[in-house]
Structures are given as C-alpha cells and as structure tokens.
Amino acid sequence: MQPSERRNQTQTIWQQQYESGNKRTIWAAMKRLGPYLEGLKLRWFFGMLAAVGAGIMALSIPQALGSVVDNIESDDATTMVVWIGGGIILILGIIEAVMVFLRRFLVLPPASDAETSMRTTLFNRLIFQPAAFHAAWDAGQLQSRAIADLNMLRRFFAFGSIMIVTQSVTIVVGFTLMFINSPLLAAIFLCAAIPIMVLGPRFRMKFIHFSRSSQDKAGDVATKVEESVHGIRVLKAFGRGDHARHDFRREAGQLRHLEVAKARTLASFQFLMILLPEGILAFCLLTGLWQVGQGTVTPGTLTAFFATAVVLKQPIEGIGMLLSQVFMAKTSLDRHIDVMDIEPAIVSPDEPKTAQERGLVQLHDVHFRFPDQKSSDRDLIDGVTLRIEPGETMALVSHTGGGTSTLLNLVPRLYDVTGGSITIDGVDVRDYSLPDLRSRITVAFEDPTLFSASVRANVLLGTGHQRDDDDPSHPYRAAAPSDEQLDEVLTSALHTADAEFVENLPEQVDTRIGEEGLSLSGGQRQRLALARAIAPNPSVLLLDDPLSALDVRTEERVTERLREVLDGTTTLIVAHRPSTVALADRVALLHEGKIADVGTHTELLERSELYRKVMAPPRPSGQDLMNSVAEEVRP
Amino acid sequence: MTQTTRKNTTENPAPEYSEVPQQATQPPNPSDTGGGTGTAGQVDPFAHLRGTAGEEQIDLNKEERKFIRRRSWRLLVRTSKGVRLKLLMTALAVVVAQAAQASTPMIVGALAIDWGIPRILEGNAMGMWLPAVLYMCAALTAATLLFFYTRMTAEASQFMLFKLRDEVFRKTQELSLDFHEDYTSGRVISRQTSDLESLRELLDGGVNSLVQGVMFMFFTVVTIVLMDPPTILVLCVAAIPVFIVGRWYQRNAEVAYRRTRVSSARMIVHFVESMTGIRAVQAFRREHARSRQYKKLATIYRNDMLRSISLLGILQPSLMLIGNLSVTAVLLWGGFRVLQGDLGAGVLVGLVLATKRAFQPLDMIAMFYNSLQSATAALEKVSGLLEETPKVREVQNPVRLPEADGEIEFHQAEFKYNDDGPVVLKTLDLHIPAGQTVAVVGRTGAGKTTLAKLLSRFYDVTSGSLTLDGVDLRELSEEDHKRHVAMVTQEAFLFSGTIRDNIALGRPDASEEEIIAAAQAVGVHEFIMNLPEGYDTDVNKRGGRLSAGQRQLVSFARAFLADPAVLILDEATASLDLPSEQLVQQGLERLLGNRTALIIAHRLSTVAIADRVLVVDEGRIVEDGSPQQLIAQGGYFSKLHEAWEATMSS
C-alpha cells in the first residue's frame, strides 16, 4: 500500500478513536478492565490501607514528639517520660517502615500481572488483525501501546491510585490535627496550600508540554543523524557534509532551547514550591511565637505544628501531579481500548466448509481496491477470471505495480476480494476456516520477512515445528509432513532453494538469524523464504518473484530443482523475467487490472505485443557475465 | 587532544603525506590487542584502546580503565569550555541554597524555642522577630538560588550537550568511508542518540538531585553538629547499615536493570517482528505460536521488572527504618540530657527534625549511582569515537582550482587499505583527457570501485599520485574537489524532505528554474509533476515512495545540478529494471554531456555510450581502448560483448 493511502486510513482510525475516547467516562473505561483487575482488587485495598497507615504514622510521629517535648519541659518530668516518648516514636517508626514495605509488596505483583495479561491480550488481538490493519497502523505505534501505555497503567494502579487516596487522607488528617492544636497557625498554612494545589497542575501541564515537544525534537535530531549516516556516501560525494551539519545544528539547537525552556519552567515552579510554604511557615513562626508569648500555645504545640507542616509539604506538592496521572492513565486506557475494540475484518466463517484437497484454483471476476483508493480510479484488480488446474504452474506477468502481488495476497485471504470470488477446490476461500485454508496454501513473499529465530524455525514455520499439540491454527492435513519427517523436509527444502550456504553458518540450521542474530544477504533471505514456502508441502504454492535477488547461476539451479518439486503442486508465480516464466506451464498477462491474455510463453511472445514489451530481453546481470567471462579468458 | 603520537601525524602534512593514513589510525579491529601503533618506534601501551577499538572490550585492567576514564574526563573538561564560570556559579548557588534550607530546623528549634521563647516571655519582641525574619531570609535565599541553579545548570548542560552532539556529528561526517565500513551506522546512531541521551539524563535529573541531596544532607549534618556535636555519633553508627543497604542495592540494581533491559528488548523485537511480518505470520499460521511465545517473553519481562522494582521496595523502607531508629536514639539520648539540664528542649526538637531530614535524600543517592554508570559508559564510547582521526584530510594550504576541465592522471599510483594489506590497485599510469567517457568493466573485486573511490577521494593513493587538471588531489582544496568531482552510487539515497530539497542538494543555492531544468535534462520532470505535490512531494523516509529507477533519476538530477567537471557513476544503473533502465539511459546521456566521466559499468547499454573501455583485473588494467578496438582485439571485452549480445537476443 502506498504511504499516502496508509496515512489517510490511519487518520480516519485516529479520528474514530479520538471520538470514542472522548465519549467514554473514566469509570466506563475502568470497567472494561474488570477482568484484568480481578486478582488485584483485594490486595489493592489492603495496600491502600497500608499506605494510609504509613501516612498516619508519619503524621503521628510529630504529635508524639510535641507531647514529649512538653512533658520533658514540665518540672515533674522523670526518665519514664523519655522512655515512653522514645518507645512510642520507635514503635511508630517501625510501623511506618513496615507499612511502606507492605504497600509495594501487596500491590505490585498483582498490578504487574494485570499489566502482563493486558499486554498479551493486546498482542493476541493484534496478531489476528489482517494485513490491511497493519498497513494502517505503524508497528511502532502499536508497540508504544503495548509497552509505554501499559506501563503507565501499571504505575497508576500500583502507585498513583493508592497515593491519591493516601495523600488526600494525609492532607485531611494533617490539617485536622493542625486545626485542633493551633487553629490560627493551621489557617495561615492553608493559605499557602491552596495556591500550591492550584498552581501545581498548571505548571505540570506546561512542563509536560515542553517535555513532549523536546522529545519530538529529539526524534527529529535522531532522524537527521540517521540520514546523515545512511546517506554518508551521497553527502561525501557531493561534499554536502556542511549542509547536513547546518541542518543538524539547527535541529539540535532547537532541541537545546526547548530543553532550556523546560528547565526554566521547572525553575519557576521550584521557586514557588519552596518560597510559598516556607514563607508562610516563617509567618507561622512569627504568629506562633507571639501566641507562646500570649500563653495560648505551648512550645510543644509549636514544635508539633512545624513537624506536621514538614510532613504535609510533600503530599500538598504531589497531589497535583497525581491528578494529572489520572488523566494520563485515562488516555493510555483509551488508547488501549480503542485498539482492542477494532474487530478483525478477516475471520473464519461461523460454519466453515471444506473440500478434498486437489489444488484447483479459480478466480471468478475478482475485483480488489484499497479502501481509500480515489473513487475515480479503477479497481486495482478489475475483474480477473482465471482457472488454474491442479498441479499446474501458472505465471502471472504484468508491468511493475500491475497488481500481480496483490492478487496473490487475495488467495490466502491476507486481503479479501472486494468483488467476485476465489474458490479453491470449488469452495469459496471465505467459506473455509482460516487455518484450513492457509494450511493448504503457502506463500513466498517478494520481500522475504524472516524472524529472529534459528534457520530451522524459519524454514519450518508452516509445519508443526515448535507448536503446541493443540495449536488451533495447525489443523491436521494428510499431505503435511509429520513431525518425524521434519528434519528430512528441512534438508530437502533447503536443497531445492539452493540454500546450502546454511551449512557454512556457525551453527548450521540452528544458527540464529534476524534482528538478534546473523544478518543474511537479500539473496540468502530470499532462498530461505522459498524453502519456507516449499517445506509444508502445500497444494497451492504462491511465489512472488521468488528469484529476483538471485544471480543467474543460482537462479538456474533453483529453477531446475523447483521444477521437480512443483510437479503436482498448483503454483501461481509472479514473474518479471523470462527465466522465472520458464518455470510455468502457462502464463497469464495482467494488464490494467484484467487478464489480457493467457498462453504459453512462446505463444504469448508470438502473438502479444504487450507481452513482448513486458518480457523484453532479459536484463543481463553484468557482474555475472564479467565473472564468467573472466574465468573463460584466464588461462 | 593530548596524545603525542597522534599530534605528530596530524601536524605533519605535505611531503610524506601519503604515509599519514597508516599512522593516523589502525582500522578499528577489536581483535587487534597488540600494542604499537605509535610513531618512531614508541610503543603505545593503550593502542588497542584508542579510538573506537576498545569499545567492545569488557574486561579491562586497572590501568586500562584509568586510561579510558581519563579520556572521558578530558572530553568533559574540554566541552565545558565556555560555561565553566557558569558551572562554578551554580556550584556556589546550590551550596548556599542547601545551607539555607538545612538551617530551618535549627532556626525553629535552637533559635525560636530555646533562645526566642524565654525572651518573648520577658517581653522582648526581638525573640519573636529575629527567628521569623531569619526563617524568611533562609526561605528566600533557598528559593531564589535554587531557581538560578536549575536554570543555569540546564543552560550549561544543554550547552555542553549541544557541543558534544555537534562534535560527534562533525566527526562522523569527517571520518573516511573505510571507518564507516567497519563501524556500522547503528553504532554511530546510538552514540548520537542513546549515549548522549543517558548523558542528558544524568546532567538533567541525576546530577541535579544528587548535588541537591548531598548538599542537603551535608548541611543538615552540619546543623546537627552546630546544635549538639555528640549527636553526630548516632548518625555515624547509622551510617554503617545505610552503607551496607546502599551497596547491596547498587550491586543488585545494576544486574536487575541490565536483565530488564535484555528481556524488554527481546519482548519488543518479538512484538515488532510479529507486526511487521504479519503476512508471513498469518500465511504460515503462526498466530497462536507467536502469541504463546510473546506471553512467555512478557512474563519473563514482568518477573525481571518486578525484581528490579522490589529492590527499591526494600531499599526505601530499610532506609526509613534506619532513619526512624536513629530518630528514636537521638530522642532518648537527648531526652535524658534535657532532664539533666545539659540540653535545651528546643535543641532536642531541632536535632530530631534534622535527623529525620538527613535520611530523606538517601534513596535518591542510591538510585543516582545507576544513571551515573550508564552515563560513564556512554561517555567512554563517545570519547572513543571522537578520538578517531580521518584518513583523508585537507592540507593546510590547499591549492585552489576555480575552474576545472576534468583532465585526470594517475601516475605510478598504488593503493592498499592498510600497511600489511594486499595491494588493491597495482602501479597504475592512466591518463583520461577532459571530456572523455570511460567505462570500467571487470570481475567482482577486480578493483573497479577502487578507481572511483580514489577519484572521489574517499581514500588517498598510497604511493604515486592522482591529479585533476594537474593538481594532486591531496593538495587540492576540499571545496573545489567536491565541486568538480561528483559521484552517483548504486543506492540512490534520498533524504527526508521534498523532491526539490533532494535535487537541490547538488547545489543548495540553485534557483527553482535551475532545479526544474536539471530534472528536465535527465527526464524526470514529467514524473515529478505527476506526483501529488510535484516538487514539493515529501519523499518520506528513505525515499520509500519512489521506485529504484525514479530515485536514481532524482539522484541524476542532483548530479546534473551540481554540474561537476568529472562525474563518477558507480554501478548506477545496476538495480534498475528494464523500463527504468531505458528511461534512465536517455537521462544518463544528457547527464554525461561534455563531462569527463568514469562509469563503473554493469550493462552493455552503459558501455555502448563510452568513448573508451578499461578492463580491470586483479588490480590492474588489462585492456584499454575504444569499444570497437577491444571487440576487434578479441580479449576479455570481446568475450564479454559476445556474451552480452547472446543474452540480448535470446
């Protein structure tokens, strides 16, 4: 799919989601989480109690301290007063530490379980979404939903939600204590608390704004770096290093300014956060001392007030942050639910049909267009009717971008036809259950995606290798190789695809390849992808220009071997060069979305001007020729 | 930098210039652990750590560690130039600010309660005003200075980061291509992104909170000493378990952190591969198997993460417990002394409050250690990269060449990649008159591309000379060289931005008309006009929207606009399909015009337009002549031509 189409589609999906997310209340959103939170509820409650307990202990310690001071200062004080005071402080202190420990201990494991199960459920949902969905949703987008958003939710459940309750309780209890002991001082202190609670979230919003834009900018800087490194040859060849550096400096400079602006916001915030409460406390000190002079307040009470104020400072500052966490959690939750709510468009029918496997593929007036193609454009596939007999090899030929690759995708229902139908052995592909359908068909894609796993696992992807016994997507098939035959299948598939280079890898077929392992050349990957398609012994084999990255000699060998293997397997092969067409019994020429002609290669060469144009002389791979000629010339 | 061995080579250009490359750096080779890349027989014991070579080494001895540390430190000191005064001021600000903050319990306890209250009771208003005003002053000082501190540290650290970023960028652009061939793009990118990011994190958050925390603790302890020196004993005793717990946390956190990183990376790779390879997953019915695997990976990640968080869950209450026990001890001991009349009750209050506060920043400090470690590792790598020196560099007084005809001469030129390496290009004498189109053919690895690389000065000849219009390339100013010699490679790389931007890269000051004229000349104008936004169409990342042929045409337009006297085409048509090749062919001929051109050829069609063909084999030219001559001669080229013809007619 073209990126522009992709973007449009993404936009519409984003719009939908924006609307649905807005409509949902936070409670409705939380309710959706019910199943995940089952094990969490009770422990969360106790965790909350522990946190409240810890908060109350923190508040009690100053109170106890105040009374100890008052008692010690009284004239009849004995050592007993000190012992009791110390004992109380000790017990409270121990309880506080234990409570803090308990909160984490109680809440964290179930919250992580909830996070993990949401994550795996999300994955499970996404993996069944059809290719069209994944074309619209960038993997990075989905990835951030699976990691960052769910981390955010875990933090909210394990920390934010509990702290909101706890800190609210702490603030209320703290102020109550203050009011009981010294109402005047408490009233003054409250004056500082209110602007802090109001200003806190506002500053936070501003800060978040800056930190988001600087994150974006950091992304831009990274892109510049990436391009300057990947395009270093071009930059060097044209001497445009300075030009690139100029661009880079501009971006990096902007990043620097954003970061500084962010820090300035933080600095002003910090300034207020220190000055407001401390300034008010200075005023409290003045008032308190005056009250002591009047005899309305004891020194112990004054002590207790200051100790309590210190304890309260943190929750007062923090409550704004916690409230903004609620909004962030809500956003994350919405993002999660919105993806979960999209029903996969391609699923097995309720009552699947099946048929004896023979390999007859028929296309009846097949139409296909991408959902956001311009309405004035004709369908990309505009009424293709074609019959491929069991065991026949049919080549599909067209100009680049003529729709042949798309046509292949329709057979195993990676995309669904938008008109007409495709039948296999007489049954519409949409009437098969997906596992049944897809176990009959294998595909070698033009762009060979391999996974980070051993060569063995990659080639045996379509077989029973490394599957659960009850894997529902691996139904029984008479023609499929049994688990005992897999080694043999692997060897012969690798042989057919001329992928014997595997023998020279450090651990042969057990060598890890892909992202985390050895990287292979395009030609090597293509051969493995071909082996992968052959291995399950399908009745219908779809090959999308499978030899394009191979040099002439390898291609010859592979063609030779494929011809033997393909005998008896219905094969549709997208071909761009005569050497690939040579594999086919017949050739179908696709032009402007329709079948323009069907016949053998020779017939078409003779009668079709169009075919001759598309199949014009083979591109001599110059390097190969040079190599082979050099071998001849040299003595 | 201060390494003397390096200095010698960089400040010693001209006559034996061709010797420089080998001395400048060994190609980064982790296995090369033997010493001795220094000049004049000096043995450099850290040769294996210079530049990026030591990057992958994990087990370093003490000396080696010191060497790398010192290098990182020097880099930091160097980048701090320009903000050093600012840094000094921030240090002062934070010291005073934290002292002011730490003094408040003392003001409340010793000053207000013990000193003030008796005076107030005597009717002396000073007892009331002095503590309050002092408290206010402390608050104001702390708030104001911290305000400046936060701003100034950000300004200073961002200044340094910007400088580092720019320096790394410049360095990577400056380094020769052979460096880039060994040091993968991924590594360069992570130097610039994740490494500098961890440095930023440290400067931004870590150092800030650490300095504040440490200063806060320090001054809190000072106030305790001022109020009642013996109490410090309690804190000394408490320091022992704090130290043990802290060490325990650091050790385990490091391991846990690394494990979590590994398991999260695995999980992410699995996720991204499954989503990007969705067609293969579904076509081969691996949905359930991959789901199950993901669940396994997600569970491992969960366990690792939980373990890592649990460490904090033990550290925090432990420190809290030690703090509360200390508070109790201070209270008991102080209480008895109050009873005996040795201590004022107010001082006791101050002591208890200060003791409680002294423990607050501890967990932050323990956590800081982690970010310090990753930042240190990052700095080590970055400083290594910056230590690399390019093999090819401009001489001090380069020869200017405002206009060039494009006459090229190789004279007794020889080239090998490094001292002990094989000779890639054997003694070559070759004269290419201005305006000639030369096709170079030969087997894989015969040395065709070497010619191109030497001409575009990705490398310098190891002996002999290579001149453009009679000027040795090594003497020629870089600017003029780039202006006169341009190269179009097989992979037509497009930068993100518009088509216009990409063409304009050939000559950034070109006018709109010139850009369009260039596109028209190579025959890509029509195609561009058919794009949704014409020349303003964004080519997306890595030029995803254009086919290989179209990309190549855009890069031709770029080269046309650059209008060089010498043009090098390195297999520029190799990746094109036939229709594109036909399209490009016309563009190519227009592009060549009257320029001197060196074409590394893969196609007969390209060779056909050449005035002269060079057949290269095993680093030397084995045939040289016009295509017709060579065909008549019946050597390699005539065989090749025959084979080509054969494939054309089949």
Side-chain angles (χ1 to χ4, degrees):
Chain A
M1 198 188 282
Q2 289 292 309
S4 60
E5 296 168 16
R6 187 178 301 178
R7 215 173 12 232
N8 283 337
Q9 201 168 329
T10 314
Q11 257 164 16
T12 42
I13 291 171
W14 272 94
Q15 252 160 20
Q16 272 171 16
Q17 167 221 331
Y18 182 65
E19 283 160 15
S20 64
N22 266 355
K23 270 185 241 148
R24 204 178 293 127
T25 66
I26 188 146
W27 295 117
M30 292 286 180
K31 245 185 216 158
R32 293 283 303 271
L33 291 185
Y36 305 113
L37 303 181
E38 220 36 74
L40 179 63
K41 286 177 186 160
L42 198 64
R43 289 181 71 146
W44 185 88
F45 180 72
F46 283 115
M48 202 251 316
L49 283 188
V52 171
I56 292 188
M57 289 309 119
L59 280 172
S60 313
I61 292 174
Q63 305 304 318
L65 206 57
S67 66
V68 172
V69 169
D70 275 350
N71 285 333
I72 292 178
E73 275 203 314
S74 69
D75 297 333
D76 55 344
T78 59
T79 48
M80 210 43 206
V81 175
V82 179
W83 280 118
I84 292 174
I88 291 172
I89 300 282
L90 177 68
I91 291 167
L92 294 178
I94 292 175
I95 295 178
E96 186 190 13
V98 170
M99 291 288 192
V100 166
F101 173 77
L102 273 182
R103 175 182 67 79
R104 274 221 176 76
F105 173 77
L106 283 170
V107 179
L108 214 49
S112 310
D113 285 341
E115 179 196 2
T116 308
S117 81
M118 282 174 83
R119 187 167 286 146
T120 47
T121 314
L122 176 68
F123 185 90
N124 212 16
R125 183 69 165 185
L126 295 176
I127 200 91
F128 285 101
Q129 289 288 1
F133 173 94
H134 288 278
W137 289 80
D138 186 47
Q141 263 288 335
L142 297 174
Q143 163 65 20
S144 88
R145 277 157 210 260
I147 304 289
D149 282 347
L150 295 181
N151 272 344
M152 173 74 225
L153 282 177
R154 192 231 322 133
R155 276 204 300 276
F156 177 69
F157 285 120
F159 180 76
S161 60
I162 286 186
M163 287 323 254
I164 283 181
V165 178
T166 317
Q167 305 215 332
S168 309
V169 170
T170 310
I171 290 173
V172 170
V173 173
F175 270 110
T176 313
L177 285 173
M178 281 176 152
F179 269 105
I180 292 171
N181 291 328
S182 37
L184 184 61
L185 296 182
I188 297 173
F189 191 58
L190 193 62
C191 294
I194 288 171
I196 289 175
M197 287 197 216
V198 174
L199 287 174
R202 195 175 293 174
F203 264 109
R204 183 147 284 276
M205 280 320 208
K206 206 169 154 192
F207 186 75
I208 287 175
H209 164 76
F210 276 123
S211 89
R212 285 223 179 111
S213 26
S214 70
Q215 248 170 38
D216 290 348
K217 198 36 88 180
D220 293 344
V221 171
T223 310
K224 285 276 174 244
V225 171
E226 218 172 293
E227 286 194 338
S228 76
V229 177
H230 286 142
I232 187 134
R233 281 176 177 73
V234 177
L235 291 175
K236 280 208 180 262
F238 286 95
R240 292 287 168 258
D242 285 345
H243 185 69
R245 183 164 163 226
H246 177 78
D247 276 5
F248 173 79
R249 279 176 68 100
R250 196 188 53 227
E251 299 283 346
Q254 285 170 357
L255 174 63
R256 174 181 160 192
H257 290 304
L258 280 169
E259 288 283 354
V260 170
K262 186 173 93 177
R264 289 197 171 145
T265 314
L266 186 68
S268 328
F269 183 53
Q270 262 186 349
F271 179 72
L272 278 180
M273 278 309 181
I274 293 171
L275 193 61
L276 268 178
E278 293 285 357
I280 291 284
L281 278 179
F283 194 60
C284 288
L285 186 61
L286 185 68
T287 320
L289 287 174
W290 175 73
Q291 281 184 311
V292 173
Q294 300 293 306
T296 45
V297 162
T298 64
T301 313
L302 193 59
T303 309
F305 171 80
F306 273 91
T308 313
V310 170
V311 176
L312 277 187
K313 241 173 80 178
Q314 197 237 327
I316 289 174
E317 281 175 24
I319 199 93
M321 178 194 87
L322 288 171
L323 284 177
S324 64
Q325 240 193 45
V326 176
F327 293 111
M328 272 147 75
K330 164 80 163 60
T331 315
S332 295
L333 196 52
D334 280 336
R335 281 156 58 94
H336 177 76
I337 292 173
D338 289 330
V339 185
M340 291 298 291
D341 275 356
I342 300 173
E343 289 292 330
I346 297 180
V347 291
S348 298
D350 292 336
E351 288 169 25
K353 293 180 192 162
T354 188
Q356 169 96 41
E357 247 184 283
R358 290 167 49 228
L360 171 65
V361 179
Q362 286 167 285
L363 284 71
H364 311 275
D365 191 26
V366 168
H367 285 256
F368 179 79
R369 63 189 296 123
F370 285 108
D372 38 12
Q373 232 172 297
K374 265 190 256 162
S375 52
S376 54
D377 288 355
R378 64 162 174 83
D379 289 354
L380 183 61
I381 309 284
D382 202 14
V384 167
T385 302
L386 199 61
R387 181 185 164 100
I388 304 119
E389 299 297 333
E392 188 184 21
T393 297
M394 168 85 81
L396 281 173
V397 171
S398 79
H399 279 299
T400 319
T404 42
S405 297
T406 310
L407 197 59
L408 284 196
N409 281 329
L410 299 177
V411 182
R413 289 191 75 200
L414 295 172
Y415 287 86
D416 261 346
V417 296
T418 46
S421 68
I422 298 176
T423 61
I424 287 184
D425 296 327
V427 175
D428 192 314
V429 288
R430 286 165 295 187
D431 289 335
Y432 283 104
S433 81
L434 284 176
D436 185 7
L437 174 73
R438 289 175 181 167
S439 62
R440 298 159 181 249
I441 306 166
T442 61
V443 198
F445 298 102
E446 188 183 13
D447 169 35
T449 329
L450 298 177
F451 297 99
S452 294
S454 64
V455 169
R456 182 198 305 274
N458 268 294
V459 173
L460 297 180
L461 198 71
T463 68
H465 180 67
Q466 278 182 355
R467 284 187 199 261
D468 284 346
D469 292 337
D470 56 351
D471 187 337
S473 40
H474 189 58
Y476 172 77
R477 241 181 100 231
S482 70
D483 287 358
E484 294 74 46
Q485 295 169 318
L486 287 182
D487 279 339
E488 205 180 301
V489 165
L490 176 67
T491 317
S492 82
L494 287 175
H495 174 73
T496 307
D498 195 53
E500 271 113 351
F501 67 86
V502 169
E503 291 307 315
N504 297 325
L505 297 180
E507 291 169 67
Q508 290 83 41
V509 289
D510 293 312
T511 312
R512 241 181 119 71
I513 53 172
E515 184 94 10
E516 290 175 325
L518 210 70
S519 58
L520 301 175
S521 75
Q524 290 175 325
R525 291 190 307 148
Q526 206 171 38
R527 277 177 275 172
L528 288 188
L530 183 62
R532 176 171 75 184
I534 302 165
N537 188 26
S539 55
V540 177
L541 179 63
L542 309 171
L543 304 175
D544 193 351
D545 203 9
L547 311 174
S548 63
L550 305 188
D551 59 65
V552 175
R553 299 193 151 190
T554 319
E555 185 184 0
E556 241 169 57
R557 269 200 304 276
V558 176
T559 313
E560 196 76 22
R561 293 174 192 173
L562 261 183
R563 221 180 258 132
E564 286 167 33
V565 175
L566 295 188
D567 195 36
T569 308
T570 311
T571 307
L572 254 172
I573 180 165
V574 170
H576 287 132
R577 45 184 181 179
S579 50
T580 319
V581 171
L583 280 167
D585 303 319
R586 285 192 301 160
V587 183
L589 178 62
L590 200 63
H591 186 61
E592 292 184 341
K594 292 187 170 65
I595 299 288
D597 206 344
V598 182
T600 65
H601 179 58
T602 336
E603 285 168 11
L604 290 186
L605 268 185
E606 246 166 51
R607 70 173 178 239
S608 168
E609 171 68 22
L610 186 66
Y611 186 72
R612 278 198 296 275
K613 234 168 133 185
V614 176
M615 270 294 133
R619 304 150 45 191
S621 163
Q623 193 62 62
D624 269 316
L625 280 177
M626 289 182 204
N627 292 345
S628 57
V629 169
E631 271 170 39
E632 277 171 43
V633 174
R634 282 143 120 242
Chain B
M1 304 274 284
T2 51
Q3 278 113 40
T4 48
T5 53
R6 200 158 294 269
K7 249 183 190 163
N8 285 343
T9 62
T10 56
E11 289 173 2
N12 206 2
E16 301 88 10
Y17 193 87
S18 58
E19 298 295 324
V20 172
Q22 297 102 54
Q23 290 172 355
T25 33
Q26 285 273 321
N29 180 3
S31 65
D32 172 29
T33 44
T37 48
T39 47
Q42 271 177 8
V43 176
D44 174 3
F46 299 116
H48 58 293
L49 297 175
R50 300 242 183 249
T52 50
E55 213 171 79
E56 304 291 326
Q57 295 193 0
I58 300 159
D59 299 318
L60 295 173
N61 63 34
K62 217 170 167 187
E63 284 300 303
E64 293 171 327
R65 199 145 271 296
K66 220 166 121 194
F67 168 79
I68 290 190
R69 282 271 155 81
R70 220 183 298 141
R71 183 176 70 192
S72 315
W73 181 243
R74 268 201 307 268
L75 175 63
L76 261 192
V77 171
R78 189 158 51 92
T79 13
S80 70
K81 203 180 159 203
V83 285
R84 286 188 193 144
L85 189 68
K86 209 172 225 170
L87 287 174
L88 195 72
M89 277 166 49
T90 60
L92 262 168
V94 76
V95 168
V96 179
Q98 294 302 342
Q101 268 204 315
S103 67
T104 53
M106 199 161 74
I107 294 175
V108 173
L111 195 62
I113 294 181
D114 285 351
W115 182 86
I117 291 181
R119 274 165 189 74
I120 294 168
L121 294 176
E122 285 164 15
N124 185 351
M126 251 331 252
M128 194 168 85
W129 284 103
L130 189 67
V133 168
L134 268 182
Y135 196 106
M136 191 64 203
C137 287
L140 236 148
T141 312
T144 315
L145 288 180
L146 278 180
F147 171 77
F148 283 114
Y149 169 75
T150 309
R151 285 173 67 121
M152 286 192 302
T153 37
E155 281 160 12
S157 69
Q158 287 302 322
F159 172 87
M160 288 169 67
L161 275 173
F162 178 77
K163 232 164 125 183
L164 271 179
R165 281 203 178 97
D166 189 36
E167 217 167 301
V168 174
F169 191 91
R170 208 191 56 211
K171 179 62 77 178
T172 48
Q173 286 298 316
E174 182 186 286
L175 286 170
S176 334
L177 281 177
D178 63 325
F179 173 82
H180 287 281
E181 261 151 34
D182 284 331
Y183 200 76
T184 56
S185 57
R187 283 161 81 191
V188 176
I189 292 165
S190 63
R191 283 309 77 79
Q192 267 280 20
T193 53
S194 56
D195 282 354
L196 288 184
E197 179 65 14
S198 58
L199 210 58
R200 185 193 68 82
E201 262 166 31
L202 182 80
L203 291 173
D204 225 36
V207 169
N208 238 330
S209 44
L210 177 83
V211 170
Q212 293 195 28
V214 168
M215 292 320 292
F216 184 82
M217 258 179 67
F218 174 72
F219 283 112
T220 308
V221 171
V222 168
T223 57
I224 292 175
V225 175
L226 284 179
M227 286 189 284
D228 179 46
T231 303
I232 211 67
L233 285 179
V234 176
L235 289 183
C236 287
V237 174
I240 298 165
V242 165
F243 181 77
I244 295 170
V245 171
R247 272 312 277 175
W248 168 85
Y249 174 75
Q250 280 171 5
R251 285 224 177 100
N252 287 283
E254 203 186 317
V255 177
Y257 176 69
R258 219 176 289 143
R259 282 175 73 140
T260 314
R261 281 235 320 222
V262 170
S263 52
S264 90
R266 288 232 171 95
M267 182 173 78
I268 289 171
V269 166
H270 186 85
F271 186 97
V272 172
E273 276 191 352
S274 303
M275 297 310 151
T276 48
I278 192 74
R279 288 192 309 165
V281 170
Q282 294 186 348
F284 292 95
R285 298 161 288 108
R286 279 285 162 176
E287 299 95 330
H288 286 99
R290 283 197 85 79
S291 239
R292 190 194 51 167
Q293 176 71 7
Y294 186 73
K295 190 170 181 177
K296 214 187 270 167
L297 292 172
T299 310
I300 294 173
Y301 169 67
R302 173 223 179 251
N303 293 339
D304 288 346
M305 187 191 57
L306 202 57
R307 197 169 302 136
S308 147
I309 302 178
S310 303
L311 291 174
L312 199 61
I314 292 171
L315 175 76
Q316 270 184 346
S318 306
L319 291 176
M320 189 179 256
L321 188 66
I322 298 170
N324 285 344
L325 290 178
S326 308
V327 167
T328 311
V330 170
L331 181 68
L332 284 177
W333 192 22
F336 289 126
R337 285 190 291 152
V338 170
L339 282 182
Q340 286 159 11
D342 296 346
L343 200 69
V347 173
L348 179 60
V349 171
L351 285 177
V352 171
L353 289 184
T355 310
K356 180 112 181 108
R357 286 167 70 158
F359 284 87
Q360 274 169 6
L362 271 179
D363 48 348
M364 215 157 59
I365 294 170
M367 282 189 278
F368 167 80
Y369 185 78
N370 290 337
S371 63
L372 177 69
Q373 271 205 324
S374 63
T376 314
L379 199 61
E380 282 170 5
K381 287 182 189 162
V382 170
S383 65
L385 175 62
L386 289 178
E387 204 182 32
E388 287 287 339
T389 44
K391 285 190 175 182
V392 176
R393 55 172 72 223
E394 194 171 30
V395 291
Q396 257 166 4
N397 296 308
V399 178
R400 298 300 310 241
L401 187 63
E403 297 297 327
D405 297 329
E407 184 195 14
I408 295 162
E409 173 117 42
F410 286 86
H411 178 70
Q412 294 287 307
E414 224 179 70
F415 178 71
K416 46 188 174 181
Y417 283 97
N418 48 44
D419 273 349
D420 339 312
V423 181
V424 188
L425 187 72
K426 289 168 191 156
T427 319
L428 172 72
D429 282 295
L430 174 69
H431 176 250
I432 302 175
Q436 195 172 57
T437 301
V438 179
V440 184
V441 298
R443 297 188 303 149
T444 317
K448 291 171 293 181
T449 311
T450 310
L451 287 179
K453 282 179 175 167
L454 290 174
L455 207 46
S456 46
R457 227 185 147 214
F458 288 180
Y459 302 99
D460 278 333
V461 290
T462 5
S463 68
S465 69
L466 166 57
T467 59
L468 170 67
D469 284 11
V471 181
D472 194 309
L473 286 194
R474 289 167 298 193
E475 313 272 327
L476 184 58
S477 95
E478 206 177 302
E479 192 193 328
D480 289 333
H481 174 258
K482 301 292 186 197
R483 198 151 46 84
H484 299 318
V485 182
M487 175 151 150
V488 177
T489 54
Q490 182 175 1
E491 191 215 8
F493 187 87
L494 296 190
F495 294 86
S496 67
T498 63
I499 300 256
R500 178 188 292 106
D501 294 344
N502 269 290
I503 297 176
L505 195 75
R507 185 151 55 86
D509 58 356
S511 69
E512 178 77 17
E513 288 73 33
E514 288 171 314
I515 290 173
I516 293 176
Q520 276 167 337
V522 301
V524 73
H525 175 71
E526 295 289 299
F527 158 75
I528 294 173
M529 291 313 283
N530 279 331
L531 290 172
E533 290 166 72
Y535 282 85
D536 290 318
T537 308
D538 198 303
V539 294
N540 254 350
K541 268 199 98 182
R542 295 266 231 148
R545 210 184 277 207
L546 276 58
S547 76
Q550 292 154 350
R551 280 209 300 271
Q552 196 56 270
L553 281 176
V554 171
S555 77
F556 280 1
R558 187 191 280 162
F560 191 91
L561 190 64
D563 193 23
V566 179
L567 188 69
I568 306 159
L569 295 171
D570 188 0
E571 310 179 4
T573 52
S575 58
L576 304 186
D577 58 14
L578 206 77
S580 315
E581 194 189 336
Q582 286 161 351
L583 192 67
V584 166
Q585 191 65 33
Q586 295 155 7
L588 184 61
E589 279 168 50
R590 306 278 281 281
L591 174 61
L592 294 180
N594 308 325
R595 295 174 224 282
T596 310
L598 190 75
I599 306 177
I600 314 286
H602 261 182
R603 300 283 171 80
L604 184 57
S605 52
T606 330
V607 178
I609 57 173
D611 304 322
R612 177 177 175 190
V613 174
L614 301 177
V615 179
V616 181
D617 200 30
E618 295 199 321
R620 47 176 108 242
I621 293 175
V622 293
E623 286 174 36
D624 178 359
S626 73
Q628 291 74 22
Q629 279 174 345
L630 292 189
I631 291 166
Q633 244 172 47
Y636 174 97
F637 185 73
S638 77
K639 286 262 164 54
L640 185 63
H641 187 262
E642 244 170 62
W644 259 324
E645 290 285 324
T647 52
M648 293 291 278
S649 56
S650 75

